[in-house]
Structures are given as structure tokens and as C-alpha cells.
Amino acid sequence: MAFKTLASLVSVLAAIQVTYGALTRRVTCPDGVNTATNAACCVLFAVRDDIQQNLFDGGECGEEVHESLRLTFHDAIGISPSIASRGQFGGGGADGSIALFESIETNFHANLGTDEIIDEQRPFIQRHNITTADFIQFAGAIGVSNCPGAPQLDVFIGRPDALMPAPDLTVPEPFDTVDSILARRRSPGLVRAFA
């Protein structure tokens, strides 16, 4: 009886190991150099190499990294519960609206100064087949990886680009209270949109 139980347990463990191996099998990318657990990620290596060399000065943790990380926040925090609850893009968070509607959003008081990094990133977005929404988040994560002691940030790809700008006053200002920021995040419209 104990042998049957042990044999069953070994069979289950072997099946789990085979399944795990299949899920984590790496594929060789078309460039012949890089590997990825998902072939769709192979296109990101060229984007990474380009921004490391040409935006982040060969992998430095400098001003462009700081501004790229700042841009990820300013794009993502611009959530409008009233727009998001209607299922429209724009005011929907990390949707690229800050760059796509630069002439509008960079004139909002909280976003002043973000136009410089948007202008620096624009040629990279145009060179690569990636949405503006994904590029902003990807560039921020890659840039942070250049900084000693910084965490490795996960990036999830597949964001659609915004169809409209985020409304003004959705990016917190330094003088906003924590309560006012959290009250905006607890809006019933936002809860419905993401429930």
C-alpha cells in the first residue's frame, strides 16, 4: 500500500516537472543571440539594445533614466474614473496618452517638463514596432535596471494606445494630500471599470 502511494506521488511529481519544463522552455530568438520564454518577446531585445546604447548612453543611470521613470508615473497615474468606467481609452492609466497627446497633457501643471523626455523617446517609438503605451513603461524599466541597487522591474506588454488625452488634475501635485489622492482612486467608477 505504501509503495502504491509512493509510486503515485512520484508520478504526479514527474508530471508536474514535465509541465513546468514545457512552460519555461526558452526559445532562441531570430537574432541567434537572445533567448526568451515567449517568442513574442524577441522583438524587445532590439528595442532594449537601441535605448541602452542611444537613449541611456551605453547603460548609464543618468538624467534620461530619471526622466523615463518619471514619465512612467505621469502616464500611468492619469486615470479618470469617469472615462475609464465608460470603457474608453484616455485617462485609463498607462496608455501612452501623455506622449500621444503631448501638446495637451504636457501643459498640465503637474506634467511640466515631461515634454523633453517624450521628445527624446519619440524617435525610438517610431523606429520600433511597439505601442507608445508599452514603450514608455518598457523604457522606464530598462532604465532603472542601469542603476546600482535598483530592483529589476517587470514589464507587461500589450497595452493599446490611448484614443484621447487624460484629463487635467489626474496627476497628483506635491501639495495634494494623501487623502485626496486615495479618494480619487476609490471612486466607484474606477472600481466598476476594473472589477
Side-chain angles (χ1 to χ4, degrees), residues 32-116:
V33 175
N34 295 293
T35 63
T37 55
N38 184 333
C41 296
C42 288
V43 299
L44 297 175
F45 289 111
V47 180
R48 178 203 61 193
D49 294 346
D50 189 13
I51 62 178
Q52 283 286 57
Q53 188 61 40
N54 301 306
L55 179 63
F56 300 137
D57 297 324
E60 289 185 12
C61 179
E63 187 63 24
E64 287 77 14
V65 168
H66 172 265
E67 290 302 316
S68 291
L69 183 61
R70 179 178 180 230
L71 189 62
T72 66
F73 173 78
H74 282 256
D75 186 45
I77 197 72
I79 295 175
S80 169
S82 62
I83 291 173
S85 67
R86 293 192 305 259
Q88 298 173 342
F89 295 108
D95 59 7
S97 66
I98 195 165
L100 294 166
F101 300 96
E102 178 185 4
S103 63
I104 296 170
E105 290 193 39
T106 59
N107 287 310
F108 299 159
H109 186 263
N111 292 336
L112 293 178
T114 56
D115 56 329
E116 293 174 14

XYZ file of all heavy atoms in Angstrom, residues 32-116:
620
model
N 19.530 34.975 -33.115
C 20.502 33.935 -32.829
C 21.322 34.179 -31.580
O 22.184 33.376 -31.234
N 21.071 35.272 -30.883
C 21.855 35.635 -29.700
C 21.034 35.493 -28.431
O 21.482 34.923 -27.441
C 22.377 37.090 -29.821
C 23.088 37.526 -28.562
C 23.256 37.245 -31.039
N 19.826 36.009 -28.454
C 18.982 36.062 -27.262
C 18.003 34.904 -27.214
O 17.643 34.338 -28.252
C 18.211 37.388 -27.243
C 19.130 38.568 -27.089
O 19.752 38.746 -26.059
N 19.246 39.386 -28.127
N 17.558 34.587 -25.993
C 16.505 33.596 -25.794
C 15.429 34.216 -24.924
O 15.693 35.154 -24.163
C 17.043 32.317 -25.117
O 17.539 32.650 -23.818
C 18.125 31.653 -25.947
N 14.222 33.684 -25.046
C 13.102 34.193 -24.258
C 12.155 33.049 -23.948
O 12.153 32.036 -24.645
C 12.368 35.283 -25.029
N 11.361 33.207 -22.912
C 10.367 32.183 -22.593
C 9.124 32.335 -23.463
O 8.306 31.446 -23.521
C 9.958 32.229 -21.102
O 9.517 33.537 -20.785
C 11.122 31.829 -20.213
N 9.003 33.459 -24.140
C 7.885 33.701 -25.052
C 8.476 34.315 -26.318
O 9.106 35.373 -26.268
C 6.875 34.649 -24.404
C 5.648 34.861 -25.244
O 5.666 34.745 -26.465
N 4.547 35.189 -24.587
N 8.261 33.681 -27.447
C 8.832 34.154 -28.713
C 8.406 35.581 -29.043
O 9.147 36.318 -29.698
C 8.450 33.208 -29.849
N 7.231 35.995 -28.576
C 6.758 37.354 -28.844
C 7.668 38.402 -28.206
O 7.703 39.558 -28.652
C 5.325 37.532 -28.350
N 8.410 38.017 -27.194
C 9.307 38.953 -26.508
C 10.602 39.203 -27.276
O 11.352 40.128 -26.942
C 9.628 38.450 -25.106
S 8.182 38.378 -24.025
N 10.882 38.402 -28.270
C 12.140 38.538 -29.008
C 12.309 39.929 -29.621
O 13.424 40.437 -29.696
C 12.244 37.467 -30.091
S 12.541 35.805 -29.400
N 11.225 40.550 -30.051
C 11.328 41.882 -30.666
C 11.804 42.933 -29.669
O 12.339 43.966 -30.063
C 9.982 42.326 -31.295
C 9.555 41.383 -32.394
C 8.899 42.459 -30.241
N 11.648 42.662 -28.395
C 12.032 43.645 -27.378
C 13.540 43.756 -27.199
O 14.022 44.777 -26.706
C 11.362 43.320 -26.044
C 9.829 43.378 -26.057
C 9.278 42.915 -24.722
C 9.355 44.781 -26.398
N 14.292 42.748 -27.586
C 15.745 42.828 -27.427
C 16.336 43.943 -28.290
O 17.239 44.658 -27.854
C 16.407 41.488 -27.740
C 16.120 40.445 -26.685
C 15.308 39.359 -26.974
C 16.651 40.562 -25.409
C 15.038 38.405 -26.007
C 16.381 39.612 -24.432
C 15.569 38.530 -24.729
N 15.819 44.112 -29.500
C 16.310 45.193 -30.367
C 15.948 46.549 -29.779
O 16.753 47.491 -29.824
C 15.726 45.053 -31.767
N 14.761 46.657 -29.195
C 14.350 47.914 -28.545
C 15.262 48.187 -27.359
O 15.774 49.298 -27.194
C 12.872 47.849 -28.097
C 12.461 49.148 -27.430
C 11.948 47.527 -29.258
N 15.483 47.163 -26.548
C 16.366 47.306 -25.375
C 17.757 47.766 -25.781
O 18.302 48.710 -25.208
C 16.463 45.974 -24.643
C 17.407 46.026 -23.427
C 17.941 44.674 -23.033
N 18.721 44.082 -24.126
C 19.089 42.819 -24.146
N 18.741 41.991 -23.175
N 19.814 42.350 -25.151
N 18.325 47.096 -26.756
C 19.686 47.435 -27.175
C 19.768 48.861 -27.705
O 20.721 49.585 -27.417
C 20.180 46.441 -28.225
C 20.350 45.037 -27.666
O 20.355 44.870 -26.419
O 20.455 44.090 -28.481
N 18.757 49.269 -28.464
C 18.731 50.617 -29.031
C 18.657 51.676 -27.937
O 19.428 52.633 -27.927
C 17.548 50.743 -30.003
C 17.559 52.031 -30.812
O 18.595 52.738 -30.834
O 16.521 52.332 -31.442
N 17.740 51.497 -26.985
C 17.611 52.540 -25.953
C 18.785 52.520 -24.987
O 19.208 53.574 -24.505
C 16.254 52.495 -25.214
C 16.054 51.192 -24.460
C 15.126 52.763 -26.174
C 14.748 51.132 -23.670
N 19.339 51.343 -24.716
C 20.508 51.298 -23.839
C 21.666 52.077 -24.461
O 22.333 52.846 -23.791
C 20.945 49.854 -23.562
C 20.085 49.134 -22.549
C 20.330 49.613 -21.131
O 20.203 50.787 -20.806
N 20.661 48.682 -20.259
N 21.889 51.848 -25.745
C 23.015 52.486 -26.423
C 22.760 53.959 -26.712
O 23.625 54.806 -26.501
C 23.323 51.745 -27.734
C 24.586 52.223 -28.402
C 25.822 52.010 -27.531
O 25.966 50.987 -26.858
N 26.714 52.972 -27.514
N 21.566 54.280 -27.191
C 21.331 55.608 -27.758
C 20.484 56.551 -26.916
O 20.486 57.747 -27.166
C 20.709 55.447 -29.145
C 21.610 54.653 -30.061
O 22.771 54.985 -30.236
N 21.085 53.570 -30.619
N 19.757 56.025 -25.935
C 18.989 56.899 -25.042
C 19.674 56.993 -23.678
O 19.763 58.067 -23.101
C 17.549 56.387 -24.889
C 16.619 57.183 -23.974
C 16.410 58.604 -24.508
C 15.284 56.484 -23.814
N 20.162 55.856 -23.202
C 20.773 55.807 -21.871
C 22.297 55.780 -21.931
O 22.958 55.300 -21.010
C 20.236 54.601 -21.088
C 18.743 54.627 -20.887
C 17.995 53.477 -21.054
C 18.084 55.795 -20.548
C 16.625 53.480 -20.871
C 16.713 55.815 -20.362
C 15.976 54.653 -20.524
N 22.873 56.308 -22.995
C 24.327 56.485 -23.117
C 25.125 55.240 -22.753
O 26.040 55.293 -21.924
C 24.792 57.670 -22.275
C 24.199 58.991 -22.739
O 24.041 59.157 -23.965
O 23.875 59.834 -21.890
N 24.762 54.127 -23.359
C 25.519 52.901 -23.144
C 25.205 52.195 -21.843
O 25.957 51.342 -21.400
N 24.094 52.531 -21.217
C 23.687 51.836 -19.995
C 23.940 52.613 -18.721
O 24.033 52.021 -17.649
N 24.021 53.929 -18.825
C 24.237 54.754 -17.628
C 22.941 54.964 -16.856
O 21.854 54.868 -17.400
C 24.798 56.120 -18.030
C 26.216 56.080 -18.525
C 26.769 57.465 -18.803
O 26.141 58.469 -18.408
O 27.835 57.537 -19.421
N 23.097 55.283 -15.586
C 21.967 55.647 -14.725
C 21.993 57.164 -14.582
O 22.445 57.697 -13.585
C 22.100 54.968 -13.360
S 20.748 55.385 -12.227
N 21.545 57.848 -15.620
C 21.633 59.303 -15.646
C 20.283 59.986 -15.736
O 19.236 59.414 -15.395
N 20.301 61.200 -16.221
C 19.101 62.033 -16.290
C 18.005 61.420 -17.157
O 16.822 61.507 -16.822
C 19.472 63.432 -16.821
C 18.336 64.435 -16.771
C 17.851 64.739 -15.356
O 18.627 64.568 -14.392
O 16.680 65.134 -15.208
N 18.373 60.790 -18.271
C 17.367 60.189 -19.146
C 16.650 59.041 -18.443
O 15.461 58.819 -18.643
C 17.983 59.708 -20.464
C 18.358 60.833 -21.411
C 19.649 61.552 -21.015
O 20.406 61.024 -20.172
O 19.886 62.644 -21.547
N 17.368 58.304 -17.601
C 16.744 57.238 -16.819
C 15.758 57.843 -15.825
O 14.614 57.399 -15.714
C 17.805 56.388 -16.083
C 17.149 55.474 -15.052
C 18.617 55.582 -17.079
N 16.192 58.876 -15.124
C 15.326 59.537 -14.148
C 14.054 60.045 -14.819
O 12.943 59.823 -14.343
C 16.076 60.692 -13.477
C 15.210 61.528 -12.598
N 14.617 62.695 -13.041
C 14.807 61.358 -11.320
C 13.895 63.205 -12.057
N 13.999 62.419 -11.003
N 14.219 60.703 -15.938
C 13.057 61.269 -16.631
C 12.169 60.188 -17.250
O 10.951 60.335 -17.305
C 13.509 62.271 -17.697
C 14.096 63.546 -17.108
C 13.117 64.285 -16.188
O 11.926 64.410 -16.543
O 13.554 64.729 -15.112
N 12.776 59.083 -17.704
C 11.980 57.975 -18.251
C 11.131 57.330 -17.159
O 9.970 56.988 -17.382
C 12.876 56.924 -18.900
O 13.464 57.448 -20.073
N 11.712 57.171 -15.969
C 10.943 56.620 -14.852
C 9.834 57.586 -14.441
O 8.698 57.167 -14.186
C 11.858 56.311 -13.668
C 11.161 55.662 -12.473
C 10.546 54.321 -12.865
C 12.135 55.485 -11.328
N 10.143 58.859 -14.395
C 9.125 59.872 -14.076
C 7.977 59.803 -15.080
O 6.808 59.899 -14.713
C 9.757 61.261 -14.077
C 8.766 62.377 -13.791
C 9.441 63.744 -13.763
N 8.445 64.766 -13.480
C 8.284 65.873 -14.185
N 9.090 66.135 -15.208
N 7.354 66.729 -13.871
N 8.308 59.610 -16.347
C 7.281 59.555 -17.386
C 6.356 58.356 -17.189
O 5.154 58.459 -17.437
C 7.939 59.517 -18.765
C 6.995 59.669 -19.948
C 6.294 61.024 -19.923
C 7.773 59.507 -21.249
N 6.898 57.214 -16.730
C 6.036 56.051 -16.490
C 4.963 56.395 -15.469
O 3.799 56.018 -15.620
C 6.818 54.816 -15.995
O 7.368 55.065 -14.708
C 7.900 54.419 -16.970
N 5.347 57.122 -14.426
C 4.386 57.511 -13.396
C 3.365 58.496 -13.947
O 2.164 58.318 -13.763
C 5.119 58.135 -12.195
C 4.185 58.710 -11.178
C 3.524 57.876 -10.290
C 3.945 60.075 -11.123
C 2.642 58.400 -9.353
C 3.071 60.604 -10.188
C 2.415 59.765 -9.300
N 3.822 59.526 -14.628
C 2.907 60.561 -15.112
C 1.924 60.018 -16.146
O 0.799 60.482 -16.224
C 3.688 61.752 -15.662
C 4.224 62.623 -14.575
N 3.674 63.836 -14.246
C 5.255 62.436 -13.714
C 4.339 64.370 -13.234
N 5.309 63.536 -12.900
N 2.344 59.045 -16.930
C 1.414 58.432 -17.879
C 0.435 57.516 -17.155
O -0.757 57.549 -17.417
C 2.176 57.655 -18.953
C 1.258 57.132 -20.044
O 0.386 57.901 -20.514
O 1.417 55.978 -20.449
N 0.936 56.708 -16.225
C 0.097 55.702 -15.570
C -0.883 56.282 -14.566
O -2.000 55.779 -14.429
C 0.980 54.663 -14.886
N -0.495 57.329 -13.865
C -1.353 57.854 -12.802
C -2.518 58.674 -13.361
O -3.504 58.905 -12.669
C -0.530 58.685 -11.780
C -1.307 58.892 -10.476
C -0.127 60.024 -12.340
C -1.437 57.670 -9.634
N -2.444 59.071 -14.625
C -3.501 59.890 -15.217
C -4.760 59.098 -15.489
O -5.133 58.869 -16.636
N -5.408 58.653 -14.433
C -6.625 57.847 -14.553
C -7.823 58.714 -14.218
O -7.848 59.387 -13.196
C -6.581 56.641 -13.604
C -5.468 55.703 -14.016
C -7.912 55.911 -13.586
C -5.271 54.544 -13.081
N -8.792 58.677 -15.080
C -10.049 59.373 -14.827
C -11.135 58.329 -14.654
O -11.482 57.636 -15.609
C -10.400 60.291 -15.998
O -11.724 60.767 -15.855
N -11.671 58.182 -13.457
C -12.718 57.178 -13.240
C -13.909 57.343 -14.181
O -14.469 56.369 -14.634
C -13.131 57.396 -11.786
C -11.933 58.013 -11.154
C -11.307 58.867 -12.230
N -14.286 58.573 -14.494
C -15.460 58.761 -15.351
C -15.204 58.260 -16.759
O -16.089 57.706 -17.401
C -15.873 60.235 -15.374
O -14.833 61.020 -15.920
N -13.993 58.413 -17.269
C -13.668 57.925 -18.612
C -13.428 56.424 -18.573
O -13.944 55.676 -19.392
C -12.455 58.663 -19.190
C -12.834 60.120 -19.475
C -11.966 58.004 -20.461
C -11.676 60.979 -19.897
N -12.656 55.963 -17.597
C -12.342 54.541 -17.518
C -13.603 53.704 -17.315
O -13.724 52.612 -17.857
C -11.337 54.288 -16.396
N -14.568 54.213 -16.556
C -15.783 53.440 -16.306
C -16.633 53.306 -17.558
O -17.455 52.413 -17.662
C -16.599 54.063 -15.170
O -17.114 55.319 -15.568
N -16.433 54.193 -18.531
C -17.167 54.087 -19.794
C -16.426 53.192 -20.784
O -16.852 53.034 -21.912
C -17.362 55.477 -20.404
C -18.282 56.365 -19.569
C -18.702 57.605 -20.329
N -17.600 58.388 -20.844
C -17.129 59.500 -20.296
N -17.652 59.949 -19.179
N -16.143 60.162 -20.865
N -15.289 52.614 -20.363
C -14.555 51.689 -21.208
C -13.776 52.359 -22.320
O -13.387 51.720 -23.288
N -13.532 53.651 -22.213
C -12.784 54.369 -23.241
C -11.326 54.469 -22.827
O -11.002 54.504 -21.655
C -13.351 55.777 -23.436
C -14.787 55.785 -23.900
C -15.345 57.204 -23.921
O -14.809 58.105 -23.311
N -16.427 57.376 -24.646
N -10.455 54.484 -23.832
C -9.046 54.691 -23.551
C -8.794 56.188 -23.531
O -9.336 56.937 -24.317
C -8.165 54.026 -24.613
C -8.308 52.537 -24.613
C -8.972 51.893 -25.625
C -7.793 51.789 -23.573
C -9.108 50.517 -25.617
C -7.919 50.422 -23.550
C -8.585 49.787 -24.576
N -7.964 56.606 -22.653
C -7.688 58.022 -22.430
C -8.093 58.266 -21.003
O -9.244 58.054 -20.637
N -7.166 58.630 -20.204
C -7.489 58.709 -18.793
C -7.581 57.302 -18.223
O -8.174 57.086 -17.198
N -6.989 56.332 -18.913
C -7.084 54.954 -18.492
C -5.811 54.414 -17.904
O -5.618 53.223 -17.853
N -4.908 55.279 -17.506
C -3.674 54.794 -16.893
C -2.530 54.750 -17.867
O -2.359 55.662 -18.673
N -1.755 53.677 -17.822
C -0.540 53.546 -18.633
C -0.917 53.271 -20.087
O -0.779 52.167 -20.594
C 0.333 52.436 -18.075
N -1.381 54.305 -20.752
C -1.923 54.152 -22.112
C -1.188 54.979 -23.160
O -1.613 55.062 -24.305
C -3.405 54.505 -22.126
C -3.693 55.926 -21.653
O -2.742 56.702 -21.423
O -4.878 56.267 -21.516
N -0.094 55.627 -22.768
C 0.693 56.419 -23.711
C 0.125 57.784 -24.019
O 0.691 58.532 -24.820
N -0.978 58.142 -23.379
C -1.648 59.410 -23.714
C -0.749 60.624 -23.500
O -0.844 61.599 -24.244
C -2.952 59.566 -22.925
O -2.696 59.697 -21.537
N 0.145 60.553 -22.522
C 0.997 61.708 -22.244
C 1.897 62.042 -23.438
O 2.200 63.206 -23.686
C 1.823 61.519 -20.959
C 2.395 62.860 -20.498
C 2.884 60.449 -21.135
C 2.916 62.853 -19.074
N 2.303 61.024 -24.200
C 3.134 61.260 -25.387
C 2.279 61.450 -26.633
O 2.588 62.281 -27.485
C 4.100 60.103 -25.593
N 1.207 60.701 -26.736
C 0.342 60.801 -27.916
C -0.379 62.143 -27.985
O -0.649 62.658 -29.056
C -0.674 59.659 -27.921
C -0.060 58.274 -28.100
C -1.069 57.197 -27.756
C 0.463 58.114 -29.522
N -0.698 62.677 -26.829
C -1.372 63.972 -26.742
C -0.475 64.958 -25.996
O -0.903 65.679 -25.096
C -2.734 63.810 -26.058
C -3.641 62.880 -26.810
C -3.744 61.546 -26.454
C -4.359 63.332 -27.903
C -4.554 60.675 -27.163
C -5.174 62.469 -28.623
C -5.270 61.132 -28.255
N 0.779 64.967 -26.408
C 1.808 65.777 -25.751
C 1.429 67.247 -25.675
O 1.628 67.896 -24.651
C 3.137 65.613 -26.493
C 4.252 66.447 -25.932
C 5.520 66.351 -26.752
O 5.538 65.704 -27.805
O 6.522 66.956 -26.312
N 0.881 67.782 -26.735
C 0.566 69.218 -26.751
C -0.499 69.576 -25.715
O -0.598 70.731 -25.305
C 0.111 69.658 -28.142
O -1.089 69.006 -28.515
N -1.264 68.605 -25.267
C -2.291 68.855 -24.249
C -1.746 68.511 -22.861
O -1.687 69.361 -21.966
C -3.562 68.020 -24.539
C -4.182 68.459 -25.865
C -4.573 68.147 -23.396
C -5.288 67.544 -26.361
N -1.346 67.254 -22.682
C -1.008 66.776 -21.337
C 0.259 67.380 -20.755
O 0.358 67.557 -19.546
C -0.924 65.248 -21.320
C -2.273 64.579 -21.479
C -2.233 63.099 -21.140
O -1.534 62.717 -20.178
O -2.917 62.332 -21.841
N 1.246 67.697 -21.575
C 2.480 68.268 -21.008
C 2.288 69.720 -20.594
O 3.169 70.293 -19.950
C 3.666 68.164 -21.986
O 3.351 68.852 -23.187
C 4.006 66.705 -22.258
N 1.152 70.301 -20.929
C 0.845 71.651 -20.476
C 0.104 71.660 -19.145
O -0.116 72.720 -18.573
C 0.040 72.408 -21.542
C 0.915 72.794 -22.701
O 1.987 73.359 -22.514
N 0.482 72.459 -23.902
N -0.301 70.481 -18.651
C -0.899 70.412 -17.322
C 0.208 70.707 -16.313
O 1.344 70.250 -16.462
C -1.484 69.028 -17.032
C -2.588 68.594 -17.965
C -2.891 67.248 -18.091
C -3.330 69.505 -18.704
C -3.905 66.817 -18.920
C -4.349 69.082 -19.544
C -4.633 67.732 -19.652
N -0.112 71.445 -15.277
C 0.886 71.897 -14.307
C 1.728 70.749 -13.756
O 2.962 70.839 -13.675
C 0.219 72.658 -13.162
C 1.199 73.270 -12.218
N 1.563 72.663 -11.042
C 1.926 74.411 -12.306
C 2.460 73.411 -10.430
N 2.702 74.475 -11.170
N 1.092 69.637 -13.400
C 1.823 68.515 -12.799
C 2.780 67.845 -13.780
O 3.730 67.189 -13.371
C 0.832 67.480 -12.257
N 2.533 68.007 -15.087
C 3.354 67.341 -16.097
C 4.418 68.236 -16.721
O 5.090 67.817 -17.659
C 2.461 66.799 -17.224
C 1.573 65.674 -16.771
O 1.870 64.987 -15.810
N 0.470 65.484 -17.467
N 4.574 69.444 -16.218
C 5.557 70.347 -16.808
C 6.947 69.714 -16.784
O 7.361 69.121 -15.794
C 5.565 71.688 -16.071
C 4.291 72.529 -16.218
C 4.404 73.813 -15.397
C 3.996 72.849 -17.670
N 7.639 69.785 -17.898
C 8.978 69.243 -18.015
C 9.039 67.845 -18.605
O 10.113 67.381 -18.986
N 7.901 67.170 -18.700
C 7.918 65.811 -19.261
C 8.056 65.824 -20.779
O 8.399 64.795 -21.372
C 6.643 65.026 -18.887
O 5.487 65.763 -19.315
C 6.572 64.784 -17.386
N 7.831 66.980 -21.392
C 7.918 67.052 -22.856
C 9.331 66.762 -23.357
O 9.505 66.226 -24.457
C 7.438 68.406 -23.369
C 8.186 69.577 -22.758
O 8.629 69.480 -21.596
O 8.333 70.608 -23.442
N 10.348 67.048 -22.568
C 11.722 66.826 -23.014
C 12.020 65.339 -23.215
O 12.575 64.944 -24.236
C 12.708 67.445 -22.017
C 12.628 68.957 -21.989
C 13.485 69.576 -20.907
O 14.350 68.855 -20.337
O 13.303 70.770 -20.629
